[in-house]
């Protein structure tokens, strides 16, 4: 009664099931890996945010690529701001989702060297060609505290770098690019300022990264695996239903043949 499984329709259905099962299993593992990555990242963020502050020069140097293990480490830097070379980083959002710019300024360190400081967010100017209104910085020696971040790249951020921008505007925060513009060595990465707080909250300091949310990836992984398990179950259910329908149809056909009326009887010949 299962010979119908060898028909073209059911062979295509079986082939589709064989393709769907490993695909769904793989999608489940992909979501599981995303969950594990998120959990590991949350642990790293939490650990590094709680770590005691250290001088920025102890974690990075000119030409250094900040490793992931040092992302969000709290660092300090003492020196004087180079206000003449302050730039803004375009297409950045505030805490409440407004589009604006980040203010990036070089800080010439007391012991030598230069580090970039992301002061935070301000609104864009009315024209994209104009430099926005940026509050000034303290004169003289200052101490900045913030989170160490790695240089931004197009591949990591998804932000396309544009070279022909108006003066003092950039798309990415890159110590390499700024070192070329300043014509002096710049420590790799940059400081995302957390203290001192800005007067009047301008620039608006960047909030700390989220280290509590793990997202729905584990739930998605379980869903994909349940879908994968449901494919063979569904195939068996459909096959059994098809068998039942065929059996019922055959039984009805046989019963119909048995109930067909016999032909008209021939009249008996008349007798004298």
């Amino acid at each position: 009664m299962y010979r119908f499984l060898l028909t073209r329709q059911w062979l295509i259905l079986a082939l589709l099931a064989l393709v769907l099962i490993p695909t769904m299993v793989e999608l489940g593992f992909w979501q599981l890996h995303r969950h594990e990555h998120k959990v590991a990242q949350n642990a790293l963020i939490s650990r590094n945010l709680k770590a005691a502050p250290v001088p920025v020069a102890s974690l990075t140097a000119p030409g250094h690529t900040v490793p992931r293990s040092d992302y969000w480490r709290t660092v300090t830097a003492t020196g004087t701001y180079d206000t003449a070379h302050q730039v803004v980083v375009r297409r950045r959002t505030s805490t409440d989702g407004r589009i604006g710019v980040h203010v990036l300024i070089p800080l010439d360190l007391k012991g030598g060297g230069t580090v970039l400081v992301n002061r935070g967010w301000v609104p864009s100017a009315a024209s994209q060609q104009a430099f926005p209104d940026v509050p000034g910085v303290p004169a003289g020696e200052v101490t900045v505290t913030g989170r160490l971040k790695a240089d931004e790249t197009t591949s990591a951020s998804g932000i396309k770098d544009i070279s022909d921008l108006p003066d003092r505007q950039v798309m990415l925060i890159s110590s390499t690019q700024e070192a070329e513009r300043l014509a002096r060595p710049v420590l790799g990465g940059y400081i995302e300022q957390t203290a001192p707080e800005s007067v009047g909250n301008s620039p608006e300091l960047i909030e700390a990264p989220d280290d509590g949310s793990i997202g729905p990836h584990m739930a998605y992984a379980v869903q994909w695996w349940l879908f994968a398990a449901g494919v063979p179950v569904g195939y068996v259910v459909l096959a059994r239903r098809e068998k039942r329908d065929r059996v019922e149809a055959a039984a009805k056909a046989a019963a119909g043949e048995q109930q067909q009326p016999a032909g008209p009887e021939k009249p008996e010949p008349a007798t004298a």
Side-chain angles (χ1 to χ4, degrees), residues 6 15 20 30-31 33 47 68 80 85 127-128 156 159 166 239 262 266 269:
L6 298 178
L15 180 61
L20 285 177
W30 173 61
Q31 290 291 348
H33 294 155
R47 182 171 62 252
R68 189 168 188 81
T80 55
H85 294 100
S127 168
Q128 291 191 357
I159 301 173
K266 294 182 180 181

Side-chain angles (χ1 to χ4, degrees), residues 67-238:
R68 189 168 188 81
S69 59
D70 286 338
Y71 285 12
W72 305 289
R73 281 289 303 272
T74 302
V75 294
T76 60
T78 300
T80 55
Y81 285 120
D82 181 359
T83 56
H85 294 100
Q86 183 170 242
V87 299
V88 293
V89 190
R90 294 168 53 136
R91 300 178 186 174
R92 301 303 165 113
T93 55
S94 65
T95 302
D96 57 4
R98 291 171 293 160
I99 302 298
V101 298
H102 283 172
V103 182
L104 189 68
I105 188 170
L107 179 70
D108 293 329
L109 298 173
K110 182 177 181 180
T114 299
V115 65
L116 301 176
V117 177
N118 185 346
R119 297 178 58 200
W121 181 91
V122 298
S124 301
S127 168
Q128 291 191 357
Q129 302 299 315
F131 196 81
D133 183 18
V134 177
V137 293
E141 187 175 281
V142 296
T143 297
V144 174
T145 302
R147 297 177 287 265
L148 181 63
K149 299 291 292 291
D151 287 339
E152 296 178 342
T153 62
T154 297
S155 59
S157 66
I159 301 173
K160 183 179 179 180
D161 199 9
I162 302 175
S163 57
D164 56 344
L165 292 174
D167 186 39
R168 296 189 296 163
Q169 296 189 30
V170 297
M171 294 299 300
L172 298 170
I173 302 178
S174 169
S175 62
T176 302
Q177 292 181 2
E178 292 305 298
E180 293 177 358
R181 191 173 65 89
L182 297 172
R184 63 178 185 267
V186 175
L187 272 63
Y190 64 97
I191 299 175
E192 195 172 75
Q193 182 175 335
T194 59
E197 295 185 1
S198 308
V199 178
N201 198 33
S202 183
E204 179 183 303
L205 296 181
I206 302 169
E207 64 180 354
D210 179 17
D211 63 347
S213 173
I214 60 174
H217 304 300
M218 178 57 77
Y220 289 159
V222 173
Q223 286 179 2
W224 280 119
W225 291 331
L226 289 176
F227 291 156
V231 170
V233 174
Y235 182 85
V236 171
V237 169
L238 289 176

